[in-house]
Amino acid sequence: MSLAVTNTVLDGESVGLRVERGLIAELGPGVDAHPGDDVVDGRGTALVPGLVNGHTHAAMTLFRGYGDDLPLMEWLEQRIWPAEARLDADDVYWGTRLACVEMIRSGTVRFWDMYWQPGAIARAVEDAGLRATIGVPLIDALDPANTPKLRDDALASLDDITGHGPRVEPSLTPHAIYTVSEPSLHWVAEHAAERELPVHIHLSETEEEVERCVDAHGLRPAAYLDRIGLLGGERGATVVTNPVSNLKLAVGAVFRYRAARDHGIPIGLGTDGAGSNNSLDLLQDVKVFALLQKHEARDPAAVPAAEAWAVATGQRAPLLGQSTLAVGEPADFILVRTDTPQLSLGDFTADLVYAASGAVVDTTVVDGVVLMRDGIVAGEAEVRTRAVERARRLGVA
Ligand SMILES: [Zn+2]
């Protein structure tokens, strides 16, 4: 199956693009459709790489608007954890499908997920057509006696995630240092190294977490992980900042982005789950990320638009898997409407970061497959209906 996008614009130049077997086969001025191509008419659009969501809990779309404006622990203990105790695989499947529709609509082509029932997440991602690195959720209530069970559950979950095609990749996701014991974290480090799996963990989210870690181990959380062998250190540990979720829950401090960047640490952007954000639209969060950094630094040049855009598209964090618009690369890209008020004049990158929302996205292509065309995602109505049914079953909607 081959695909052609005609009459679009890349870096201000009129171009065409062709896709064969999931890869960009031709790209540039004068590139036109071949006979038999599925043709997307790109008039009124520009071609840009897709966005990469470095941290989310996709199925938490089911909990959107359930317990807003509560303190973090009250929100978790009284709302989220009791509801999560009732979750089954079909809930997670349809919640993840709903998240995938929202991400497709707002231009995200790849995400890093951490949630229960990873086998159901893998099926949802496979069916939705996106790319994702799906975590095996690991929690042992800080009790080393639970390490053998954590290990057995992790190995079974890894089996559930495999076999869902090349767009679905596994990772190990210990929830946090305050919910997973040190022996379990040691096992995670060893097993990740053995199978070359990435590890994805919440870190230094609250002042309390940092204080408790210093009291217990004499080290701040990142140093504690490094001692266990989990960080990767110079070997590429990536920080994903989730400014909107942190702002809404009123926890933590402003991420010291510039200090991390100046030390050469790879950095990505995440939404966190829709239970706490409440949106999965990275085109909104990239603006908040940039503004927060500017305001904190009292310097409007602290994070320029092009740099914020690079972070949101994964270009500052190779591990996260950015898409590259070049011949031979995977055909993951979006078309944004340049005939919208937000994108019709001014600097294009600044418009994307400061003016646009996901509503400017017209077409989303992943692995050479058109997941949204002219603003329409096939099967969206069924996904919404089923997700609402699951939320009602859980008593959260
Ligand atoms: Zn999270």
Side-chain angles (χ1 to χ4, degrees):
M1 185 69 182
S2 55
L3 170 73
V5 178
T6 57
N7 304 308
T8 188
V9 169
L10 175 63
D11 298 330
E13 191 176 42
S14 180
V15 299
L17 175 150
R18 289 195 64 256
V19 175
E20 288 177 8
R21 287 180 292 279
L23 301 177
I24 298 174
E26 296 176 65
L27 172 63
V31 171
D32 213 341
H34 290 197
D37 283 350
D38 176 19
V39 180
V40 172
D41 183 350
R43 264 174 294 192
T45 72
L47 173 65
V48 291
L51 294 112
V52 178
N53 192 342
H55 176 75
T56 191
H57 313 279
M60 290 187 83
T61 50
L62 298 175
F63 305 134
R64 172 180 283 132
Y66 180 64
D68 285 325
D69 310 327
L70 292 173
L72 173 63
M73 288 322 291
E74 206 176 317
W75 174 67
L76 286 173
E77 288 171 359
Q78 293 177 18
R79 300 296 178 102
I80 298 303
W81 289 342
E84 284 184 338
R86 301 191 291 273
L87 274 178
D88 70 18
D90 283 344
D91 298 326
V92 171
Y93 176 85
W94 289 107
T96 306
R97 287 294 304 270
L98 185 65
C100 288
V101 169
E102 186 178 354
M103 287 191 265
I104 290 166
R105 297 197 71 84
S106 50
T108 291
V109 296
R110 180 184 186 106
F111 65 101
W112 285 63
D113 203 61
M114 175 195 285
Y115 208 56
W116 306 108
Q117 306 274 2
I121 303 171
R123 279 192 291 117
V125 171
E126 184 182 18
D127 294 348
L130 285 173
R131 291 187 199 273
T133 302
I134 296 170
V136 168
L138 305 170
I139 286 186
D140 69 5
L142 270 189
D143 184 352
N146 293 330
T147 297
K149 181 175 182 338
L150 173 142
R151 192 184 55 215
D152 293 347
D153 289 351
L155 294 173
S157 291
L158 276 172
D159 286 345
D160 290 343
I161 302 176
T162 48
H164 291 275
R167 289 182 284 96
V168 174
E169 293 177 7
S171 66
L172 294 175
T173 52
H175 171 260
I177 60 168
Y178 56 88
T179 47
V180 184
S181 67
E182 190 167 343
S184 289
L185 289 173
H186 272 289
W187 177 79
V188 171
E190 285 161 19
H191 197 70
E194 197 179 304
R195 289 180 61 168
E196 295 186 0
L197 295 171
V199 177
H200 176 183
I201 187 168
H202 293 105
L203 192 70
S204 289
E205 287 186 288
T206 62
E207 224 172 314
E208 189 187 357
E209 175 188 337
V210 175
E211 282 167 5
R212 281 193 187 178
C213 186
V214 171
D215 287 348
H217 309 289
L219 295 167
R220 290 177 63 86
Y224 169 61
L225 284 191
D226 200 30
R227 191 185 77 194
I228 291 172
L230 259 173
L231 263 201
E234 293 85 356
R235 296 176 292 283
T238 294
V239 175
V240 175
T241 180
N242 300 264
V244 173
S245 174
N246 290 163
L247 283 168
K248 182 163 177 283
L249 285 166
V251 294
V254 175
F255 172 50
R256 293 178 63 204
Y257 166 78
R258 288 171 307 143
R261 175 197 66 194
D262 295 346
H263 279 89
I265 295 169
I267 297 162
L269 181 66
T271 57
D272 213 346
S276 61
N277 182 304
N278 298 3
S279 156
L280 302 177
D281 181 354
L282 276 173
L283 279 162
Q284 294 185 27
D285 289 22
V286 66
K287 177 175 181 175
V288 175
F289 161 67
L291 299 195
L292 194 57
Q293 292 297 326
K294 291 168 193 289
H295 196 263
E296 179 80 354
R298 296 285 184 270
D299 176 6
V303 180
E307 186 173 331
W309 181 247
V311 169
T313 51
Q315 294 166 61
R316 294 299 171 96
L319 176 71
L320 296 183
Q322 82 272 37
S323 46
T324 306
L325 297 174
V327 170
E329 294 289 334
D332 297 356
F333 56 84
I334 61 177
L335 300 178
V336 293
R337 292 227 67 90
T338 49
D339 51 10
T340 49
Q342 297 93 331
L343 297 184
S344 49
L345 55 85
D347 178 82
F348 180 60
T349 305
D351 289 349
L352 286 171
V353 173
Y354 303 132
S357 70
V360 303
V361 180
D362 175 272
T363 297
T364 301
V365 175
V366 175
D367 202 23
V369 176
V370 182
L371 304 181
M372 177 167 76
R373 186 191 296 245
D374 297 331
I376 294 168
V377 180
E380 176 176 338
E382 192 207 350
V383 171
R384 276 191 279 107
T385 303
R386 300 296 298 273
V388 169
E389 281 170 14
R390 303 314 295 188
R392 290 202 177 122
R393 189 195 82 82
L394 288 164
V396 297

